[in-house]
Amino acid sequence: MRFVDKHKLSIITACLSLVFIVLINYSANSERVTFVEDGTAVILNPVQGILYKLNVNIKETFGFLFNYKRVKEENKRLKEINNKLQRFEIENKLLKKENNRLRKMLNFIQSSTEDYKYIGCDIIGISGNSFFDGFIINRGSKDGIKKRMVAVTADGLVGQVTAVGTNWAIVQTLSNENIAVAGYVERNSFNNGIIKGYKDDDNKLLYRIEIPTLESDIKVGDVILTSGIGRIYPKGIKVGKVINVIDDKGQISKYGIIKPYVDINRLEEIFIVIPKEERNVKY
């Protein structure tokens, strides 16, 4: 019953709307609006307004549904472009970093002494639990590498070759306490001493230079270089900078705690220093 009433109401509303449209068209050609036209308009205007808004909403809803697939595909395409741009940005940063590192290494070789040649090596693994125990490089005896040869980067001293295979070798860093090198203070070559690995209270890997005299004027900020004594390490390789000085009056010595220039946890490539005349080095 209720459905029939609604159906009748819809028919009546449609008929009245049709009559109203006819009257509007008639009025448009007439100079005056009749009483019937005006009354019909008063009755039907609210209804027609509702129907108009309903029609607009229906159009907008169907428009959204028709465009949804297109918008979704466009968003997917934009996300793919954004992901590509992010990858390009990361690759560009990596290439720029590698280029700067290789340029620095090239400058180091060009500025180095002619008494030595330098073989570039890639690090392909570690020989123990960490870099502290040593790491493996992809060059060996076939490339002229021998035990006790020195490993460096453009930033400074790394350590020493401790084992050699045909196409591989193991390098231990100066952080390992089994390795030592003679060094001196760049500011005053009078301050000579022995450099070894050292761990501070926070277990941080550092170096320590022991100078066997309390008269030494070593101080914080001094740059430490290899001295070349012992004829293993070339003279003048950068080691690090002094960050603390300790007086050991019992041993009549001074210790300079050194922060290395080379961060062994970030190593990727190194150089092995090979003397052009083997007689210059005792192996």
Side-chain angles (χ1 to χ4, degrees):
M1 184 66 178
R2 184 175 297 175
F3 173 76
V4 175
D5 292 341
K6 288 184 178 180
H7 183 65
K8 289 181 178 180
L9 179 61
S10 299
I11 294 174
I12 293 171
T13 302
C15 292
L16 291 175
S17 297
L18 180 62
V19 172
F20 177 65
I21 292 170
V22 172
L23 291 174
I24 290 297
N25 290 330
Y26 174 77
S27 298
N29 298 319
S30 176
E31 295 181 356
R32 296 181 61 185
V33 177
T34 65
F35 174 77
V36 176
E37 292 169 349
D38 184 57
T40 304
V42 170
I43 295 172
L44 292 181
N45 270 350
V47 177
Q48 190 172 21
I50 293 172
L51 293 175
Y52 175 78
K53 290 179 180 180
L54 181 62
N55 181 52
V56 170
N57 289 334
I58 291 173
K59 286 184 178 180
E60 290 178 350
T61 301
F62 277 101
F64 172 77
L65 293 175
F66 289 140
N67 291 326
Y68 176 74
K69 184 178 180 181
R70 181 180 61 80
V71 171
K72 186 176 180 180
E73 290 176 351
E74 181 69 12
N75 285 339
K76 182 179 178 181
R77 188 177 69 85
L78 290 175
K79 285 182 179 179
E80 290 175 352
I81 293 174
N82 185 55
N83 290 335
K84 287 182 180 179
L85 291 175
Q86 288 180 344
R87 288 197 299 270
F88 288 150
E89 183 179 6
I90 293 172
E91 290 173 0
N92 183 58
K93 287 181 178 178
L94 292 174
L95 289 173
K96 186 176 180 180
K97 182 180 178 181
E98 182 179 8
N99 182 62
N100 290 336
R101 186 173 64 248
L102 294 176
R103 186 185 298 275
K104 193 173 183 180
M105 295 173 76
L106 178 61
N107 292 337
F108 169 75
I109 293 176
Q110 292 175 342
S111 63
S112 299
T113 174
E114 295 180 355
D115 294 333
Y116 301 89
K117 65 179 181 178
Y118 299 84
I119 295 181
C121 308
D122 292 326
I123 296 173
I124 58 175
I126 59 176
S127 62
N129 296 323
S130 68
F131 272 129
F132 176 76
D133 296 319
F135 51 84
I136 305 169
I137 58 176
N138 64 342
R139 299 293 186 98
S141 58
K142 69 181 181 61
D143 303 293
I145 294 176
K146 299 180 180 181
K147 287 181 65 175
R148 299 186 73 189
M149 283 185 172
V150 179
V152 300
T153 71
D155 293 320
L157 181 64
V158 174
Q160 188 180 112
V161 176
T162 57
V164 181
T166 303
N167 60 352
W168 61 270
I170 293 176
V171 174
Q172 284 193 331
T173 70
L174 191 57
S175 298
N176 191 306
E177 296 177 357
N178 296 322
I179 296 178
V181 57
Y184 72 99
V185 177
E186 182 182 36
R187 177 179 52 84
N188 184 349
S189 59
F190 168 75
N191 295 290
N192 289 291
I194 301 298
I195 305 169
K196 289 186 175 183
Y198 171 81
K199 288 184 181 181
D200 64 8
D201 294 336
D202 296 324
N203 214 33
K204 187 175 182 180
L205 296 177
L206 302 169
Y207 302 153
R208 185 180 74 172
I209 182 170
E210 179 183 355
I211 301 176
T213 173
L214 291 174
E215 302 301 320
S216 170
D217 67 344
I218 186 173
K219 59 185 180 181
V220 173
D222 277 340
V223 174
I224 306 299
L225 308 175
T226 57
S227 66
I229 297 174
R231 304 175 70 183
I232 296 178
Y233 292 82
K235 183 177 180 179
I237 299 175
K238 295 181 295 182
V239 177
K241 184 174 289 188
V242 177
I243 59 174
N244 190 21
V245 176
I246 301 172
D247 290 341
D248 188 343
K249 295 181 180 180
Q251 297 292 329
I252 316 177
S253 300
K254 275 192 176 182
Y255 295 97
I257 307 303
I258 305 168
K259 181 180 180 181
Y261 284 128
V262 175
D263 184 350
I264 63 172
N265 294 308
R266 296 177 179 270
L267 288 175
E268 295 181 37
E269 306 99 0
I270 63 168
F271 291 115
I272 300 299
V273 182
I274 298 181
K276 291 184 177 179
E277 294 185 18
E278 189 170 330
R279 60 183 175 83
N280 287 338
V281 180
K282 293 181 180 180
Y283 291 107

